[in-house]
Amino acid sequence: MTAEPRETPDVVTLGETMVLLRAPHIGPLRHARTLDVATGGAESNLAIGITRLGGRAAWIGRVGDDEFGRLVLAVLGGEGLDTRAAVIDPEAPTGLMVKARRTSAATDVRYYRAGSAGSRLCPDDVDPALVRSARILHVTGITPALSPTARAAVRAAVAEANAAGVPVSLDLNYRRALWSAEDAAGELRALAGHADILFATEDEARLVLKAPDHTPLVDLARELTALGPAQVLLKRGERGAVAILDGRPHEVPPHRVHAVDPVGAGDAFAAGYLAELVRGGPVATRLATAAAAGAFAVTVPGDWEGLPRRDELRLLAQDDAVIR
Amino acid sequence: MTAEPRETPDVVTLGETMVLLRAPHIGPLRHARTLDVATGGAESNLAIGITRLGGRAAWIGRVGDDEFGRLVLAVLGGEGLDTRAAVIDPEAPTGLMVKARRTSAATDVRYYRAGSAGSRLCPDDVDPALVRSARILHVTGITPALSPTARAAVRAAVAEANAAGVPVSLDLNYRRALWSAEDAAGELRALAGHADILFATEDEARLVLKAPDHTPLVDLARELTALGPAQVLLKRGERGAVAILDGRPHEVPPHRVHAVDPVGAGDAFAAGYLAELVRGGPVATRLATAAAAGAFAVTVPGDWEGLPRRDELRLLAQDDAVIR
Amino acid sequence: MTAEPRETPDVVTLGETMVLLRAPHIGPLRHARTLDVATGGAESNLAIGITRLGGRAAWIGRVGDDEFGRLVLAVLGGEGLDTRAAVIDPEAPTGLMVKARRTSAATDVRYYRAGSAGSRLCPDDVDPALVRSARILHVTGITPALSPTARAAVRAAVAEANAAGVPVSLDLNYRRALWSAEDAAGELRALAGHADILFATEDEARLVLKAPDHTPLVDLARELTALGPAQVLLKRGERGAVAILDGRPHEVPPHRVHAVDPVGAGDAFAAGYLAELVRGGPVATRLATAAAAGAFAVTVPGDWEGLPRRDELRLLAQDDAVIR
Amino acid sequence: MTAEPRETPDVVTLGETMVLLRAPHIGPLRHARTLDVATGGAESNLAIGITRLGGRAAWIGRVGDDEFGRLVLAVLGGEGLDTRAAVIDPEAPTGLMVKARRTSAATDVRYYRAGSAGSRLCPDDVDPALVRSARILHVTGITPALSPTARAAVRAAVAEANAAGVPVSLDLNYRRALWSAEDAAGELRALAGHADILFATEDEARLVLKAPDHTPLVDLARELTALGPAQVLLKRGERGAVAILDGRPHEVPPHRVHAVDPVGAGDAFAAGYLAELVRGGPVATRLATAAAAGAFAVTVPGDWEGLPRRDELRLLAQDDAVIR
Amino acid sequence: MTAEPRETPDVVTLGETMVLLRAPHIGPLRHARTLDVATGGAESNLAIGITRLGGRAAWIGRVGDDEFGRLVLAVLGGEGLDTRAAVIDPEAPTGLMVKARRTSAATDVRYYRAGSAGSRLCPDDVDPALVRSARILHVTGITPALSPTARAAVRAAVAEANAAGVPVSLDLNYRRALWSAEDAAGELRALAGHADILFATEDEARLVLKAPDHTPLVDLARELTALGPAQVLLKRGERGAVAILDGRPHEVPPHRVHAVDPVGAGDAFAAGYLAELVRGGPVATRLATAAAAGAFAVTVPGDWEGLPRRDELRLLAQDDAVIR
Amino acid sequence: MTAEPRETPDVVTLGETMVLLRAPHIGPLRHARTLDVATGGAESNLAIGITRLGGRAAWIGRVGDDEFGRLVLAVLGGEGLDTRAAVIDPEAPTGLMVKARRTSAATDVRYYRAGSAGSRLCPDDVDPALVRSARILHVTGITPALSPTARAAVRAAVAEANAAGVPVSLDLNYRRALWSAEDAAGELRALAGHADILFATEDEARLVLKAPDHTPLVDLARELTALGPAQVLLKRGERGAVAILDGRPHEVPPHRVHAVDPVGAGDAFAAGYLAELVRGGPVATRLATAAAAGAFAVTVPGDWEGLPRRDELRLLAQDDAVIR
């Protein structure tokens, strides 16, 4: 068996991938005596998830011409992403995020990304041919919040995909630290209008729909389909997910796992869903893999490191297995 | 906003703070290949808790003229305690404690404190003006067990506070390794007679009261008030607490958290209570903050590092929150 | 009290002990940036368990003439095993195993033991006098799978014990990576016919008995006694154990502990049982210590490091104890 | 002996102190798997050096209202600095620097300080009474490069000191990453005109004087005195230093030590000089302590951690000493 | 600037890359409590060196279908190698090497590579088109020692290159642990006859030439050219190198650096030479970059991690530089 | 080849072995964030050195009935010492030492050994039969300083050896922290009178002889022989050693190695000498092995871990060797 040759991607995505500095133990960050060095970014997390499950994924983004930027590219390339469209920006540093678990149930993330290379993404970085070659274009609500040029890049990619008939997947991913709820609601609602597949949390759904707190989840999902996407999935963390897929409601029960890091679960869920979708998997398989990928992601302290390979999916069914 | 200027303390406390050497993983200590270096002491743990919650606290104690002593002072000073009354004793080394978790439910603590600088605390170290300036004097049952001079220092401080009308808070904190149950019972009972606020575990209450095993908790608390203190709080670890405050019984339900280190929970509870008391907080607030501080303390592997700042108290109410 | 002089062993065992390289955190092994260095082997794990509980144990096996071999001997000697019969083989390297937890419930073990020194064990390595001097000979189903000479060594030891009236304890310990189910079933069934005490998991029992899946556990145990052993114990991990001892059925309830590493629990269980047996303990004590030792083993990340000393057994009964 | 009470400072300084993330091993930063967390800033490094040598030092600066900011204040307070004038700025994050040794002789430092709290220092942060109370005001050429408000703060502090007759010490500390050589030359030359004591490297001296490369060192120093400062010290790293002090030239030979981290040596040198100056030490003592402090600083991987206490200065004279 | 697209390679190489487990501190390996996880292989070390200096390199080899194999591919891909021709072999594990520094001057390497996936390399793995597309084919004397099929693969690759007019570079790299001196001498001499560029140590030159100990170095080099290669370079570690290039002798002086790990220096030297050769660099540049790359390699504890990027070569000229 | 059976010892020694807590990096101890856990004691260091070089050694001493005590016994047993005569003292804790390197040339050691188990050694612990069975009894000047009973134990052992004709080796090992120069001089002079082999530093020689500073080294050695011992060796650290052996002077040149930890070099030197002496080695071999063992000891951060095995002695002659 030969290592996979590089071919046309199943999923193309664009966004910012940062170096992630992570406190190794629970507690106030200032007591951390070392920080673990990793990387993360919602879009590349998803792209790695696709790759682990046997798909091909390409990532578009910018890093600084510095060691942290080289780390990002080495990790993404090492995980099998197609990074040929990545840009090394000599004018700005690679962004950082600093993550600490304050208690076993509260995680804190701070960013050093103002003016970062990643936030300088612009429409020229988006290779139209690459977008057109994809089976799915995936974008998130983080990128448009990074800068006006990044927002224009997302819009350009979506427009290109819409024009070429490439389905657009959107994960709303609202980040409070980056923009106001009002700004976000407008932009994300507009983007949703151009998407075919939509991932959101309950809070994000309410934000975009300006829905009152008591609206039932399934109604929220259904209202989101009214914006355009035929496939809407509401992620509920430890409580699973609900979805409206081509008009029919679905409930996705959660896996019971020992969670150590909730960050990345949403990206994993979307990766699981899309990985099956590009293989032509039926709804049940898509949802099952989505839930499994989310469960894997939270058992490992890292945003994407725990994502499952296809042959590992079966491990979830077992109970204290020792394989030897 | 300017960093807090040093003013008169809300709480003054005295005791021994040691260097804490902690096995990083569960299991027999002799398999530990490194030990984490920290510090700890029931009284300074409490003082840090007060400071984190916005109060001012001063600590009286001795350390050796050695690097471990300088570490203790740097940590306490760095956490914002007023250590102007601390004494550097050139004649004796700073005490050590060695902590290991033998199983997930059994923690073992050994001391190298015989003849330590901290145990050489004496009445001359207690600045009467500092005690008189406090809104509360806090002492524990550990200090009188360290040495005759340390016992005299506690008595002197309490006498000074009593004379000046400064309320005395006492945490019984019986340490089997330091003295016999009989010796402890006598001294602690005497101290309780001079205290206004009393913290104890159920076992400590029985020790001091020589109460039979079947006495209900509330009755134990009530009997303790008969010794003098109008506020008696019985700490029950994972099961919360019960209290008699100015004659009325209260039940404090526990928080459900993933506990990794039970040491320091009692100090945190007392800190939460006293921090609100000095702000004039009502009973409900005092008990709520006490319980919350205890919950924070046990989620972090350290005796005091997990203590909450005031703006963090709200995190307990959330469930797998990611703040970003 | 003087450190135990070396005398005749309570238990003699033979097998391969390897260096164990262990990923420090949950997740795919390739993300591990360091590996912890330890040692492990089913037979020496058991021997250490015997020693911790106050018995004397001797270990027969081979290591390479290399630093990993010297590590194995230093660890076993340091834990108090009698290693005088160990052989240093200059012709082959010490075997390795690599252990990673893929999720909180799935552990993966890989071996570098093909052609290892340990697998070159041969009948000449088995000192008949040492076997005859033992109160119990313990063997496992791993050793016969290592090589033809290792298989012959086990057979020779068992024959010697049978001849000398030394009871033989056998833990089936089927390892899929080493031989086929069919090969194993034949050899293990034959060995069981020469054993007095038999430890097995439910799956191993079915393998040897070629029993259908629906056979009740107690019936499996009883069928195993029909092969020869008067004492048969079926280990069920988190669910405890069942046993037929001299014709009578027993159920062993599990301890509720926070398990972090299931590897070694079976060895611990057998160690607890045999440690009491050689002291002449009654059935109830044997089973209680077996269950307790298994519980201790799983709370610590290591195959044997968590095994209890006799005075630690009482810790299991406590709940969040701090001993100080 | 009682821990030092807080009194009027010997040295007041102002600047930015950042969290320092440091690769633990030599090599390209992207291969670092963890980063050590420390703190650093030229001015606070110097202030710690003063404190270690028995002086009193106050630090003025801003940190963010975040855990990194709390770390900076805890470290500086723990090291005994007077941080009462420090400002916690809720509008901006604490700055970061990332340090790696690319080879044993080349160290790389990157900053995440654009828009940081520390760079928002402004004249209002400079308490005139604190400046006036000092025996020396120390500033560096870094602070004016951070922002217009920071530059104004330095000018204000210097003006206040000049007016009050407090001697001004200036370390040119040119940072290429922060401003152009031309901008720096103008501002630093102007500042030098208001300084009484001037520290510089040879390159910095040439920058400010626009001196040709062949100008001898002593002439450079003498030309700098012509700008105003009566005491000029040119630091030469491993080669010692030259100085013109009140018109007379001095040569300072270096100590032979095993250097592991050159960063901080200049701050240490200045701290040693000023610490003796405020004690009224003669020239020879000032220069000896300056050289010794520099030697101590480079033997430890940290910007200030290796700074000597007064009783440690004698260790330099020894050779492979073991004190026990 | 866009990340380099994958094009035809400058250098194609084939061999085994293993996981490297490295003791973090000097001393007997058995005292190591953790091992650092890295990767290494003479051929891929060279390929990474080419890539760092701006060239393109492709690597042919086998890894196991296991996490260690995935690590090797992730690292090589992450460093920018073209690994499209790599084979994942489901039948055998990825090889391991274990490295320890016994003293500051003696390094010990042990292998677990018998039967490894890498040693199962075979002629079918060598894509003739890839070899023909290269500007240089690089092979080492390690690969033919791994197995008969691996030897056949090297011969096939060399024959293909010879036929296509692609220059062949050979590093003799004799490994005592893999084959006898006699076997090696024959095979390596034969390979040298097909090579255009030859790298060797003095010992290896003597081995192949069966030259007496007193033969001067230059004569050894000249005798090697008589076997075929027009470019012969004798590497002398800390003492530099000598070369005969197109008939003319050259002496390469060493760089003075603080060496912490000599392993990989030879691969770095060859990488530096070939990287310049493929750019058409003159002899002086080739030798200078070769020496510089070797110097970089030894300052970092890793077989290839310290290799320089082109813009870092200038750092060697500096002395205790801090870049900030 | 079978692991060495336990037989009569070549060397018997007695003393205190402590747990050694060691700062992992150079700098003030209070900045250490973890401490490495090891063990050490002059006498057991020597005994390990004997064992590594192929001899047999027995150690007499006390440890506490605690995990640190069990660690000491596990390490000594694991290194092959005969610890059958070791005593576990339930009344006192195992002693600690804390070691930090303040600079690359100054090491600081602090003890927590007052009242330790090790210092409670007493004459009853000394098994006369064991002493009589030895080929050499080795004692140091540390043990008599620990307590009156320890002093009596040393005297008893020496008397027993003298009576039985077992040669006595004494290493003066003066420890300033334990007793005054005057007390030491008397006791050590008396002990020297009963010794056959004497190891000392120059300072220790002067202390015992009350010799003026200008006495040449060889004269000091000769004066020491006048006290009794026919073999006197003066250790000079990096400068080698001088000796008077049976009346003839010898000069031992040092090895040039990169020293990272001078502690333990003296014990290693003595071990090398005695290991050859018990094998009947000639003077040149004894001195060569002594110097080599000392050189090995200082290249590793640990008091004894770097001690050489016999087959490693040849590594010193090599230069940057890679063995593979």
Side-chain angles (χ1 to χ4, degrees), chain A residues 13-18 40-47 59-61 95-97 109-114 116-122 138-155 158 169-180 183-189 191-192 198-201 204 207-208 235 263-268 270 303, chain B residues 322-324:
Chain A
T13 189
L14 69 164
E16 179 171 23
T17 300
M18 286 168 284
E43 299 84 5
S44 59
N45 296 348
L46 175 131
W59 177 82
I60 299 168
L96 300 185
M97 57 181 157
V109 187
R110 297 285 171 123
Y111 298 98
Y112 286 83
R113 78 198 303 183
S116 69
S119 68
R120 287 159 54 97
L121 187 76
C122 69
H138 178 75
V139 297
T140 76
I142 300 168
T143 316
L146 296 178
S147 71
T149 60
R151 188 177 302 188
V154 171
R155 289 177 180 174
V158 168
S169 163
L170 167 66
D171 192 330
L172 292 183
N173 263 329
Y174 172 56
R175 291 289 179 273
R176 196 173 314 258
L178 296 176
W179 52 355
S180 70
D183 286 357
E187 180 70 18
L188 296 179
R189 190 177 177 96
L191 274 177
L198 184 70
F199 299 95
T201 62
E204 290 163 352
L207 175 86
V208 163
K235 302 172 291 185
V263 178
D267 307 328
D303 290 9
Chain B
V322 180
I323 299 125
R324 58 185 170 189

Side-chain angles (χ1 to χ4, degrees), chain C residues 216-235:
Chain C
L217 270 185
V218 170
D219 293 355
L220 285 174
R222 207 172 292 277
E223 284 183 44
L224 287 169
T225 64
L227 298 179
Q231 301 174 58
V232 168
L233 299 101
L234 291 187
K235 302 171 294 185

Side-chain angles (χ1 to χ4, degrees), chain F residues 2-21:
Chain F
T2 299
E4 209 83 22
R6 307 249 168 170
E7 300 167 17
T8 60
D10 294 315
V11 173
V12 167
T13 188
L14 68 164
E16 178 170 24
T17 300
M18 286 169 283
V19 163
L20 164 55
L21 303 173

Side-chain angles (χ1 to χ4, degrees), chain B residues 53 136 197 199 230-233 243-246 250 252 268-294 310:
Chain B
L53 289 165
I136 292 179
I197 308 156
F199 299 95
Q231 302 174 57
V232 168
L233 299 102
I244 301 286
L245 303 176
D246 300 317
H250 299 267
V252 187
F269 183 92
Y273 186 83
L274 297 184
E276 298 295 0
L277 186 63
V278 296
R279 290 162 66 101
V283 162
T285 303
R286 288 180 232 156
L287 295 176
T289 301
R310 191 159 285 281

